[in-house]
């Protein structure tokens, strides 16, 4: 978690200072670097929030546009679940590979510019995806689309870290993550019902139309960056910056936690459609898509992450997220649609809370090159999604839903272990500090 606040204030100084012999006024306090940044209730904050919310909707709607359609794609193209799952994993892997180099581009051309270009290109590809003639072409287009989307997540978090006051950062990033959850939900619901009526290709076309609306909304509302300073980042400088972030043990832990949470999420939501379409559930495609309304729980939990951290601390919030996700995984084992739905609610709430806490901690911890720090987080995060989707589908194909759940529980054990290590380390450091102060 971020280093403890020392309690020192940059503005608390002596109330008065001696006048010079010439009668000059007292020395002025140093200006507050946060004073010009956006804050809740202040001018521009609402426009920024709506713009980034729209970008978040488009990101998840496009990134996971084929996820709810996997059973239909498998049937239509005659492929197995693990083969069809690559229409999801290719997009998330493309994002994971593209996010670091594109974060360097954002340092030169600006976060706002890169987000606009990335969203525009990804939307254009979304309009081409429904016409893919084969699984191979579909996977290739999805991979390119993932690379295009890579400009959004890291740039968005760096944009918020630069333009929003530190005390409001968790809440602001929580709103962006909430947009992710709305995008994931709406994309799956729309594709589910459209696919049931007109097929999976028409469903992907509907997601493309949704992305067009979001892209236009984002461009009209996003404010100009006021605190961005352009700089060129060459390969050597980028390598040094990445090495510096990876040398920070706190950032390494946050990257691992984000990746592990996303492994669960990728596995569960890639496979759940296959489980619900088969015995003992035998649900139609439209109903399966509607079940993803549980994403609204993610909207609430991610937006409330700031309050949760204020009450329990960052590590406490992560423990709660791990426990909630694990409970949901166990509950989903029951052969009852109500139990599975309750399990998905808990998994979604736990995942989005954990992601919001970990991602905001990265932005707060990194004092320089925030775009690259966020990019490394996104790289780990979406690598976890790719692995979760591919391994979760393979486990389901080989063992069944129990294999997918076991994979998820193993990831949560890993996240809990990392958080426990950080807790013990913090306690030991505090004990040593008290001993030094007493000496």
């Amino acid at each position: 978690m971020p280093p403890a606040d020392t309690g020192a204030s940059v503005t608390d100084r002596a109330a008065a200072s001696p006048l010079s012999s010439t009668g000059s006024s007292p020395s002025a306090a140093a200006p507050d670097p946060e004073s010009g940044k956006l804050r809740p209730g202040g001018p521009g904050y609402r426009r920024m929030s709506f713009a980034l919310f729209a970008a978040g909707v488009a990101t998840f709607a496009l990134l996971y546009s084929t996820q709810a359609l996997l059973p239909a794609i498998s049937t239509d193209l005659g492929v197995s679940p693990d083969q069809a799952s690559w229409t999801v994993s290719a997009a998330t892997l493309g994002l994971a590979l593209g996010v670091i180099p594109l974060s360097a581009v954002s340092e030169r051309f600006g976060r706002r510019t890169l987000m606009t270009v990335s969203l525009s290109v990804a939307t254009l590809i979304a309009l081409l995806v429904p016409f893919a003639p084969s699984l191979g072409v579909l996977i290739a287009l999805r991979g390119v689309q993932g690379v295009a989307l890579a400009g959004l997540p890291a740039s968005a978090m760096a944009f918020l870290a630069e333009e929003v006051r530190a005390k409001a950062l968790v809440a602001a990033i929580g709103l962006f993550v909430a947009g992710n959850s709305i995008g994931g939900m709406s994309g799956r619901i729309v594709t589910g019902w459209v696919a049931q009526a007109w097929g999976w290709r028409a469903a992907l076309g509907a997601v493309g139309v949704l992305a067009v609306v979001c892209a236009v909304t984002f461009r009209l509302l996003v404010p100009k960056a006021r605190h961005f300073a352009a700089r060129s980042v060459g390969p050597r400088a980028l390598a040094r910056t990445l090495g510096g972030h990876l040398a920070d043990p706190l950032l390494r832990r946050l990257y691992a936690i984000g990746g592990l949470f996303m492994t669960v999420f990728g596995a569960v939501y890639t496979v759940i459609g296959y489980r619900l379409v088969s015995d003992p559930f035998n649900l139609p495609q439209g109903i399966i898509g509607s079940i993803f309304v549980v994403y609204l729980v993610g909207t609430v939990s991610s937006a409330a992450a700031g309050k949760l951290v204020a009450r329990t601390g960052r590590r406490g919030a992560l423990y709660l997220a791990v426990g909630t996700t694990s409970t949901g995984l166990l509950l989903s084992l029951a052969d009852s649609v109500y139990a599975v739905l309750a399990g998905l609610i808990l998994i979604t709430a736990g995942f989005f809370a954990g992601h919001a806490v970990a991602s905001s901690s990265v932005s707060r911890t990194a004092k320089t090159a925030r775009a690259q720090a966020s990019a490394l987080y996104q790289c780990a995060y979406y690598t976890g999604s790719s692995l979760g989707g591919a391994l979760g589908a393979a486990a389901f194909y080989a063992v069944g839903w129990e294999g997918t759940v076991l994979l998820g529980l193993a990831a949560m054990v890993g996240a809990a272990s990392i958080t426990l290590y950080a807790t013990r380390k913090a306690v030991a450091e505090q004990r040593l500090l008290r001993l030094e102060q007493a000496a």
Side-chain angles (χ1 to χ4, degrees):
M1 299 302 101
D5 191 345
T6 62
S9 171
V10 294
T11 57
D12 290 347
R13 306 186 186 280
S17 59
L19 294 177
S20 68
S21 58
T22 59
S24 60
S25 62
S27 57
D32 182 2
E34 296 275 289
S35 62
K37 293 189 175 184
L38 298 174
R39 58 179 176 81
Y45 185 85
R46 182 171 296 180
R47 286 173 58 90
M48 180 275 298
S49 297
F50 280 129
L52 271 294
F53 184 84
V57 169
T59 300
F60 259 44
L62 291 175
L63 193 62
Y64 295 102
S65 59
T66 63
Q67 198 169 58
L69 303 173
L70 292 178
I73 292 173
S74 289
T75 300
D76 186 47
L77 300 181
V79 296
S80 63
D82 54 329
Q83 291 174 317
S85 72
W86 277 102
T87 63
V88 180
S89 293
T92 53
L93 184 59
L95 193 154
L97 294 175
V99 69
I100 290 177
L102 286 182
S103 72
V105 173
S106 79
E107 297 284 3
R108 175 66 180 84
F109 296 101
R111 328 296 188 198
R112 183 172 178 262
T113 299
L114 182 60
M115 287 189 288
T116 300
V117 173
S118 293
L119 188 53
S120 299
V121 173
T123 300
L124 177 61
I125 295 173
L127 300 177
L128 299 176
V129 162
F131 303 100
S134 65
L135 180 65
V137 174
L138 178 58
I139 291 174
L141 284 173
R142 294 282 291 146
V144 175
Q145 189 175 46
V147 174
L149 284 170
L152 278 163
S155 294
M157 292 184 183
F159 178 85
L160 291 172
E162 291 167 350
E163 304 299 327
V164 176
R165 293 190 179 186
K167 290 184 178 180
L169 184 57
V170 173
I173 291 181
L175 284 173
F176 175 67
V177 176
N180 291 163
S181 67
I182 290 291
M185 178 198 70
S186 59
R188 287 167 173 84
I189 292 176
V190 168
T191 55
W193 285 106
V194 173
Q196 183 171 313
W198 295 290
W200 63 271
R201 294 182 185 273
L204 290 178
V207 173
V209 173
L210 173 64
V212 170
V213 174
C214 289
V216 172
T217 300
F218 170 79
R219 191 66 185 90
L220 291 176
L221 293 181
V222 65
K224 292 183 178 179
R226 299 173 59 189
H227 301 275
F228 170 74
R231 67 189 185 95
S232 296
V233 180
R236 291 184 179 179
L238 179 60
R240 286 195 299 270
T241 299
L242 296 178
H245 289 320
L246 290 173
D248 187 326
L250 172 55
L251 287 176
R252 288 201 305 269
R253 291 195 294 269
L254 292 171
Y255 297 151
I257 288 171
L260 289 168
F261 267 106
M262 196 53 160
T263 297
V264 178
F265 192 76
V268 167
Y269 277 97
T270 296
V271 174
I272 192 64
Y274 287 105
R275 186 177 190 219
L276 294 177
V277 80
S278 58
D279 292 333
F281 306 106
N282 299 307
L283 297 181
Q285 187 70 55
I287 297 298
I288 291 174
S290 296
I291 284 178
F292 291 103
V293 74
V294 298
Y295 259 65
L296 286 174
V297 176
T299 305
V300 175
S301 66
S302 57
K307 293 181 180 179
L308 183 62
V309 169
R311 290 184 177 183
T312 66
R314 293 176 186 268
R315 286 185 292 273
L318 287 173
Y319 284 128
L320 287 174
V322 167
T324 302
T325 304
S326 300
T327 302
L329 286 167
L330 293 173
L331 191 57
S332 72
L333 288 168
D335 286 336
S336 163
V337 69
Y338 300 107
V340 171
L341 179 59
L344 285 176
I345 289 172
L346 292 177
I347 292 166
T348 304
F351 161 72
F352 276 103
H355 168 43
V357 172
S359 60
S360 62
S361 296
V362 169
S363 296
R364 183 173 175 176
T365 301
K367 303 305 180 185
T368 60
R370 285 193 174 101
Q372 282 72 50
S374 294
L376 281 169
Y377 177 83
Q378 298 297 329
C379 183
Y381 177 77
Y382 286 108
T383 298
S385 178
S386 296
L387 290 175
L391 295 177
F396 178 80
Y397 188 58
V399 180
W401 181 250
E402 294 81 1
T404 305
V405 169
L406 184 60
L407 173 67
L409 290 174
M412 287 297 90
V413 168
S417 300
I418 293 170
T419 308
L420 179 60
Y421 169 80
T423 301
R424 290 180 172 178
K425 187 172 185 294
V427 170
E429 290 175 350
Q430 291 173 359
R431 184 182 298 115
L432 179 61
L433 179 61
R434 287 195 296 267
L435 290 174
E436 291 177 347
Q437 290 174 342

